[in-house]
Amino acid sequence: MDHPKSYRILLLGSGGREHTLAWKIAQSARCSQLFIAPGNGGTGSLGINVSLDPMDFAAVGSFCVREKIEMLVVGPEAPLVAGIVDYFSQHEALSQIMCIGPSKAGAMLEGSKDVAKQFMQRHQIPTAAYQTFTQANISEGHNYLGTHSHPIVLKADGLAAGKGVLICTSHEEALAEFDMMLDGKFGSAGTTIVVEAFLSGIEFSVFALTDGKDYVLLPIAKDYKRIGEGDTGLNTGGMGSVSPVSFVDAAMMEKVIARIIEPTIRGIQTEQIDYKGFVFFGLISVNGDPFVIEYNCRMGDPETESVIPRLKNDLVELFASVHNGTLNTQSIDIDPRFATTVVCASGGYPGDYRTSLPIHLPEAHPDSMIFHAGTKMTDSGLVTSGGRVFAVTSMGDTLAEALDKSNSTAKEITFEGKYFRRDIGFDVEH
């Protein structure tokens, strides 16, 4: 009997999402060797950390040739938006490597809010009404803001590390922020601004893996962006997540699939966009109807840490079927239990915070998985290296049981200034 082929795999990225993907990839019989670039203090136990900048395509390519890499998995959005998949396809020595991630054209669904909005308009995908402005039509922008109801949402068009979205509650605030954004508040990400109607409802995240023609759905999740309990304070990269989400029932998913997912995948196909990777649908339920807030061209973080542990399938097998065009033969097997993720952050985050603080992890944590996000290994041991330091994920038969486990493990992790929200999942029925 033929054994399925196993692959030498390079995973790009260094956060909690990448530690989770590395954890899942390393379990696969179809992974013969795993490299993570640059990785973090946790990924080194699952494969070999490589000191490479994911944005240095030439260096990544040289490494792939040298190490005979057969599959490249791109974790973060920046290399995808910058065109790493196109770089590989255009270089003969790299063109046979399976790339899990969309081409630049596909990644622009995240890389430009305006591109995404136009795509949704072309394919009749429900989203908030909007207008786009630049310095060239700034006076039209002022007029539009003057006649628009509030609250109103201002979005920097480009990548702004999750910080380029402002919800303004008054005409004065909207005008002031609009001018500051066009004046460089978010750097080059804000040279174009998308102004859209505010949608009131509850948000959730849906993830598809697609080969550009067929798709499979991964577990649904909800993340928590605000630093403070009760969803207060500044926005962060995400302080926790839960999966599944009780209010997303079969009837809601039917609407999501028919109105959003299938038109999106059809749109990718009809526009001949090379897209072999994840599509993240950031959705909001408004009176029981789903609308798209945003697309991402990769898995979310910290949603990955709740979604991937519930996926029973071999992830490398799924990636191979994306490349081979056999995704339609795959069926997804999901653990019915709840997964909850609680993020341990550095004191001061998302503002100024200290790094290189020594970390002490509990000896045994059988009830939880501790995914590293902002850590690095030094000669003197494990230290902090980012704002979000760990993502603690636990499984349970109920949401409350899973949360109890995550919170109790998070309490046992020690580093100076550690902070975590104890109320993740507070707005979802327990």
Side-chain angles (χ1 to χ4, degrees):
M1 180 180 145
D2 284 346
H3 288 288
K5 178 171 170 47
S6 61
Y7 303 101
R8 294 173 64 79
I9 300 172
L10 174 62
L11 168 64
L12 296 183
S14 62
R17 165 185 49 220
E18 285 76 30
H19 188 186
T20 312
L21 291 171
W23 169 80
K24 186 70 173 167
I25 289 167
Q27 294 169 27
S28 171
R30 301 199 63 182
C31 172
S32 61
Q33 177 72 67
L34 175 61
F35 298 92
I36 310 98
N40 61 35
T43 55
S45 65
L46 299 165
I48 298 171
N49 283 352
V50 185
S51 170
L52 276 177
D53 176 358
M55 297 300 286
D56 186 343
F57 298 171
V60 172
S62 297
F63 176 84
C64 288
V65 171
R66 193 166 65 249
E67 290 295 337
K68 300 183 170 58
I69 297 299
E70 297 157 292
M71 183 183 288
L72 177 76
V73 180
V74 187
E77 65 276 15
L80 293 167
V81 172
I84 191 166
V85 171
D86 310 66
Y87 179 89
F88 269 61
S89 67
Q90 288 156 14
H91 285 72
E92 196 178 341
L94 306 172
S95 60
Q96 296 310 304
I97 295 172
M98 303 182 187
C99 290
I100 303 303
S103 64
K104 181 168 184 161
M108 287 312 286
L109 290 175
E110 175 171 3
S112 166
K113 306 282 191 303
D114 188 42
V115 166
K117 283 288 199 179
Q118 289 185 39
F119 177 90
M120 287 182 252
Q121 221 168 32
R122 283 196 299 277
H123 300 287
Q124 289 85 53
I125 295 164
T127 188
Y130 81 104
Q131 291 277 354
T132 300
F133 301 100
T134 63
Q135 281 285 4
N137 61 346
I138 191 167
S139 57
E140 285 174 42
H142 291 158
N143 292 339
Y144 185 74
L145 290 173
T147 58
H148 205 288
S149 59
H150 296 94
I152 190 168
V153 184
L154 309 185
K155 294 182 174 180
D157 179 60
L159 297 180
K163 297 180 178 65
V165 177
L166 302 172
I167 298 168
C168 301
T169 53
S170 71
H171 176 57
E172 294 74 22
E173 182 192 8
L175 271 177
E177 290 290 357
F178 180 82
D179 286 346
M180 280 193 287
M181 285 170 85
L182 283 179
D183 218 24
K185 178 173 181 171
F186 297 111
S188 61
T191 51
T192 298
I193 300 176
V194 171
V195 180
E196 65 178 36
F198 176 77
L199 296 177
S200 182
I202 188 162
E203 295 181 24
F204 59 105
S205 305
V206 174
F207 303 91
L209 180 64
T210 185
D211 56 10
K213 153 174 117 281
D214 297 302
Y215 68 92
V216 293
L217 290 181
L218 303 181
I220 297 154
K222 175 170 173 45
D223 78 329
Y224 294 83
K225 287 273 192 293
R226 301 276 185 174
I227 188 69
E229 294 185 357
D231 272 349
T232 56
L234 293 171
N235 258 339
T236 71
M239 291 302 295
S241 59
V242 299
S243 177
V245 183
S246 55
F247 63 86
V248 185
D249 57 12
M252 172 59 86
M253 274 314 289
E254 275 181 35
K255 293 178 186 176
V256 169
I257 289 167
R259 300 177 191 177
I260 294 169
I261 295 170
E262 296 202 333
T264 298
I265 304 298
R266 270 201 310 274
I268 285 168
Q269 191 176 8
T270 57
E271 297 190 18
Q272 297 184 313
I273 297 168
D274 177 19
Y275 204 119
K276 292 182 170 65
F278 296 106
V279 189
F280 165 136
F281 300 85
L283 306 179
I284 186 167
S285 171
V286 180
N287 301 321
D289 285 320
F291 289 78
V292 179
I293 297 172
E294 64 175 355
Y295 289 119
N296 287 167
C297 60
R298 37 75 195 184
M299 288 295 288
D301 192 347
E303 294 102 324
T304 302
E305 291 92 312
S306 294
V307 167
I308 292 296
R310 293 189 61 220
L311 179 69
K312 290 183 164 182
N313 298 64
D314 181 320
L315 190 57
V316 179
E317 174 80 34
L318 289 176
F319 287 161
S321 68
V322 164
H323 179 77
N324 299 331
T326 55
L327 199 56
N328 60 343
T329 65
Q330 298 284 345
S331 56
I332 295 298
D333 189 9
I334 295 173
D335 190 318
R337 292 176 298 167
F338 287 85
T340 61
T341 300
V342 171
V343 169
C344 294
S346 297
Y349 174 79
D352 293 335
Y353 56 84
R354 291 172 62 200
T355 57
S356 301
L357 299 169
I359 295 164
H360 178 71
L361 290 175
E363 286 300 317
H365 40 87
D367 288 336
S368 304
M369 294 159 271
I370 300 178
F371 296 117
H372 294 231
T375 71
K376 67 176 180 183
M377 196 60 80
T378 66
D379 292 343
S380 55
L382 191 67
V383 299
T384 66
S385 66
R388 294 188 294 169
V389 184
F390 292 102
V392 179
T393 298
S394 311
M395 312 285 284
D397 292 327
T398 65
L399 189 63
E401 181 196 337
L403 283 166
D404 283 346
K405 291 177 183 176
S406 289
N407 284 334
S408 94
T409 302
K411 273 182 206 156
E412 291 180 42
I413 296 170
T414 56
F415 57 88
E416 190 187 323
K418 180 196 74 178
Y419 166 78
F420 66 95
R421 276 181 59 172
R422 291 166 170 80
D423 70 334
I424 297 303
F426 76 95
D427 55 351
V428 180
E429 291 167 30
H430 285 216

